[in-house]
Amino acid sequence: MKTFACGDVVPGCTAHFTAVDEAAVPSLVAAHASADHGLATVPPELVQAARGALVSV
Ligand SMILES: [Zn+2]
């Protein structure tokens, strides 16, 4: 399992995610970015940053 704290990438955001593996992260980030950050699309650099902030659990 991987966990990701959005606040590591977007200062001030308190959202946390848990995904079965790294491949599942982009869709989670995209859904959250759209719903909570108002982003219609997720920039590749944000996905990259999210991957870099993943923690194995
Ligand atoms: Zn967020």
Side-chain angles (χ1 to χ4, degrees):
M1 300 283 279
K2 299 281 186 179
T3 63
F4 166 63
C6 189
D8 287 347
V9 178
V10 181
C13 185
T14 58
H16 287 73
F17 306 96
T18 301
V20 290
D21 59 27
E22 188 173 324
V25 172
S27 61
L28 288 175
V29 173
H32 169 68
S34 172
D36 295 318
H37 294 293
L39 296 175
T41 58
V42 180
E45 55 267 29
L46 183 57
V47 174
Q48 198 65 38
R51 289 188 175 207
L54 284 177
V55 177
S56 294
V57 291

